[in-house]
Every structure is written in C-alpha cells, then in structure tokens.
Amino acid sequence: MKSGPYRAQFVSYVLAMMADNVEHVISYWVVFQKFHSPALAGFAVLSHWLPFLLFSVAVGGLADRFDPRRIIQCGMLLFIVASAGWGVLFITDTLEVWSAMLLLVIHGCAGVLWQTPNQLLLYDIVGPGDLPSAVRMNAMARYLGVLVGPAVGGVIMLALGPSHGIIFNTLFYFPMLLWLFWAPARQALAAPVRVAVRGFADIAQTVRAIGKHRVLTSMTLLAGLTSFMVGNAYNAQMPGFANDLGHGDPGVSYSVLLAADAAGALLAGIALEAWGRLKPTPQTAILLAILWCGSLLAFASVSIYALAIALLFSAGFFELSFNTMAQALVQLNAPAEIRGRVVGLFNMAGLGMRAFSGITVGVLGAAIGIHWSLALSAAVLMAFLFVLRRRVS
C-alpha cells in the first residue's frame, strides 16, 4: 500500500466490485418479483461464469497484444451499459425475459474483460517482487465488495428505488474507468512480443505451452478441480443449511453464515500480509486447498450452529489463501510473451468451471440432500488433491 498507483487501483477496484454486487442485488430482486422464474435465475448463474470459461484465454491474448488498461475500460463501459439498461427497462416497465437475458450476458462479458487484464495490470504496477502481496490485497478488495455490496444495494433501493438506484450505481464504475487513463503503463522494454489472437485455438496452444511447466500445470489443475467440484456453489445452498441448522430465523442465519465465510477470507488476507512468512509453493497451495476441503466436509456434517459458523470462517480463510497463492505462482512463472493467455487459462479453470459446480453440489443435492452432496464433493475433491500434491512433490 506504499505504492500510490496501487492504492488508486485498490480503491477503484473495491468500488467497482461493490457496484458489481449492488447490480446483482437490485436486478435479481426485480427480476424475481416480475417473473418468479427459477430457470431465469439459473441462467443468471450460467451467464455470469460461462463467459470466463469461453473467453478468458482469448481476453488474455488481447491483453498480451494490446494495452490491458484499455481492455479493462471496455469492461467498465459494459458494466455501465448493463446497469443503465436495467434502469431504463425498470423505469419504462418494458423488461422482458429476452432483454433480461441479454443484460445478464453483457454483465458476464464485462467481468471477463475486467478480471484477467486487471491481473496483468497488477504485474505492471508493482512488479514481480510485490506481486503476491498485491494479489492478496486485491482478493481482500473482492471480498470487501462482496460484503459491502448487498448492504449498499439495500440502502440504495430504499433511498432511490430499484429503477433510479441501479442507474445511480453506474457512478461507482467511473473511478476505475477514469483512473486507467493515468495508470502506469507497461514498460516498453518489458512489453512481450505481440502474438496474434486466434480465439479458441489459443486454449489448446496455451495448454501445450505450459505442459512442461510443473508449477503452471499444477496450479491450473488446482483451480479447475476446486471450482468444478465445489466452487462457490455451497453459497447458493446456504438458506437450506441455515434452515437445517434450526437456529433462529433462517434469513438471519443465512446472512451470518455467508458473513462468516467472507470474514474468514478477509482475516486470511490481513494475517498473510502481516506475517509474510508463508512461502508460496505449489505444495503449500495444495495443502491449503486440502484444509479448505476438510473445513467444508466438517461443515456439511455438523448440526451445531456455532460450530458451523467457525467451520465456514476457516473455509473462507483457507480459500483465499490457496487461491491467491496459486494465482501469484501462475503470474510469476508464466512466460512473458504469453502471460495474458496463461493467466486467462488459469481464470478459465478457476472461474469458468464454477458454472458446473452447481451440478456437483446443487443437482446432486436435490437427489441425496445438500449435506451429503457437499460432503461427497469435498471428499472426492480432497482425494484428487492428495494425488495432485504427490505428483508435484
């Protein structure tokens, strides 16, 4: 945080992440009130994560070839278009299912144009020496946005109503949009050789390129396995867990459980920054992921509410720890000429695969119960991680 450019990036990142979550709060609420469509709610999840699966590598290739600051600005503009579009349709009462689906897709594409280039921008701002710290701090910023966003969204809806409130929300994207005009640029001597962007062919080429890099392959596999098997699908099932725990009002219980997960992640960021002695290695990242699996397995098995909160707190702690360590290792070890593609592949695995975690936890939960589905998914994932750790040791 001693770096002026990084402080500006951090503040604007928190505001943009908060605006992202405010838009979810308002738009999901209005869409539910108007359509009461579980199918549309499911499409909202897919439209959020599938663009990461399909386009992360391509966007990483664009960030290799062009200025990542301009790509992020395109993402901010799409976020503004989405929020303003919701507001206009709410005010005119012309929202239909097809237009809601279109805006959800625009929002999902905006996220892809933001996240991968922003990781490359971090490298340009702080350099390799402080990159692990910058990655952890940005992860903390993401969780701050997730924590603050719903509360701010609720206040905005009460004060301005959903229609004008979601238009007001566009203002929170402007600090990032404007700051990027003055953000530090990639050094000319450090600029990679420009490689043509070839769309989906870049995915196979990038996989082949990292095939002999044990750190890159192991961390990409770690991201893909954890996202596919569990991801954040248990968050969507949290009302059911709160109800099964039988502690007071399910709505309040639900909020406390989600807050415990996010609070654990925030503490992890603060603790790792203050301690600074946990050396980033593939073995350590995988061990932290195994501890995350253990926390979720125990959470799925307990019936004591206070213990469930403690276990979710530890799950949030370990999740931020292994995710940020894996991301930093990928950025530090990626070949300079294809760093954007490698980071994009990591994001494709770590974020895009979340689209399928609803099957392993959610659909399976409908058949055998959410406790058994989460426990089974975490146990299978833990077995895979032990194998992965043995292969990289």
Side-chain angles (χ1 to χ4, degrees):
M1 294 298 282
K2 293 179 180 178
S3 166
Y6 180 77
R7 288 198 303 273
Q9 190 277 155
F10 181 87
V11 172
S12 59
Y13 189 89
V14 169
L15 291 174
M17 185 59 67
M18 182 188 73
D20 182 3
N21 284 275
V22 167
E23 181 177 328
H24 286 316
V25 169
I26 298 177
S27 62
Y28 288 3
W29 184 84
V30 174
V31 167
F32 175 78
Q33 293 294 325
K34 187 173 181 64
F35 300 111
H36 294 280
S37 172
L40 188 57
F43 180 82
V45 176
L46 288 175
S47 65
H48 190 79
W49 297 120
L50 276 181
F52 286 94
L53 183 67
L54 298 175
F55 305 124
S56 286
V57 176
V59 171
L62 288 174
D64 281 334
R65 187 173 176 83
F66 303 106
D67 191 337
R69 298 175 300 173
R70 305 298 165 247
I71 301 173
I72 300 170
Q73 286 176 317
C74 290
M76 292 299 108
L77 288 173
L78 284 184
F79 276 126
I80 292 170
V81 167
S83 281
W86 286 117
V88 170
L89 293 176
F90 293 166
I91 291 172
T92 58
D93 195 25
T94 55
L95 181 66
E96 298 181 17
V97 171
W98 71 267
S99 55
M101 294 173 69
L102 176 61
L103 290 174
L104 289 169
V105 170
I106 291 174
H107 185 95
C109 292
V112 181
L113 292 174
W114 177 22
Q115 293 300 335
T116 298
N118 191 73
Q119 291 174 24
L120 270 67
L121 181 64
L122 285 183
Y123 191 96
D124 296 335
I125 291 175
V126 304
D130 288 328
L131 184 64
S133 175
V135 170
R136 283 194 296 268
M137 294 294 293
N138 261 45
M140 288 175 58
R142 182 172 69 251
Y143 278 97
L144 277 173
V146 171
L147 276 174
V148 175
V152 174
V155 171
I156 289 176
M157 278 203 296
L158 288 174
L160 302 175
S163 303
H164 294 91
I166 202 165
I167 293 178
F168 176 80
N169 185 56
T170 61
L171 298 177
F172 296 118
Y173 294 114
F174 277 93
M176 175 70 79
L177 179 69
L178 298 177
W179 170 74
L180 287 168
F181 285 111
W182 293 277
R186 180 184 291 153
Q187 296 295 321
L189 294 177
V193 177
R194 293 191 170 188
V195 180
V197 178
R198 299 182 300 169
F200 291 112
D202 278 333
I203 299 176
Q205 180 61 38
T206 306
V207 170
R208 287 194 294 268
I210 70 170
K212 297 181 180 179
H213 295 267
R214 181 172 293 185
V215 172
L216 297 178
T217 54
S218 62
M219 292 300 94
T220 303
L221 281 171
L222 172 64
L225 285 170
T226 53
S227 294
F228 180 82
M229 294 301 301
V230 177
N232 64 343
Y234 60 93
N235 286 336
Q237 307 298 333
M238 208 61 76
F241 283 113
N243 188 54
D244 291 344
L245 287 166
H247 187 85
D249 176 64
V252 175
S253 302
Y254 164 63
S255 301
V256 172
L257 291 173
L258 285 179
D261 189 63
L266 284 174
L267 179 63
I270 296 171
L272 292 173
E273 283 298 297
W275 190 33
R277 295 180 182 178
L278 192 62
K279 184 179 179 180
T281 66
Q283 292 84 355
T284 303
I286 297 171
L287 177 60
L288 290 167
I290 290 172
L291 293 172
W292 174 64
C293 289
S295 298
L296 291 178
L297 180 59
F299 166 73
S301 307
V302 301
S303 58
I304 302 173
Y305 181 68
L307 183 56
I309 292 175
L311 289 167
L312 275 180
F313 184 89
S314 67
F317 185 98
F318 292 127
E319 183 183 14
L320 181 136
S321 300
F322 84 78
N323 268 323
T324 56
M325 187 175 292
Q327 181 181 318
L329 285 168
V330 167
Q331 292 199 56
L332 290 171
N333 289 276
E337 65 274 11
I338 58 168
R339 179 174 288 114
R341 288 168 171 81
V342 174
V343 173
L345 184 67
F346 177 82
N347 282 342
M348 185 187 80
L351 298 176
M353 286 296 181
R354 289 186 177 186
F356 302 106
S357 63
I359 299 174
T360 56
V361 176
V363 176
L364 186 61
I368 64 175
I370 55 175
H371 293 269
W372 278 104
S373 67
L374 178 58
L376 182 61
S377 297
V380 173
L381 174 59
M382 186 182 293
F384 281 130
L385 293 178
F386 274 115
V387 174
L388 182 61
R389 191 166 191 265
R390 176 173 292 184
R391 291 178 64 88
V392 300
S393 61

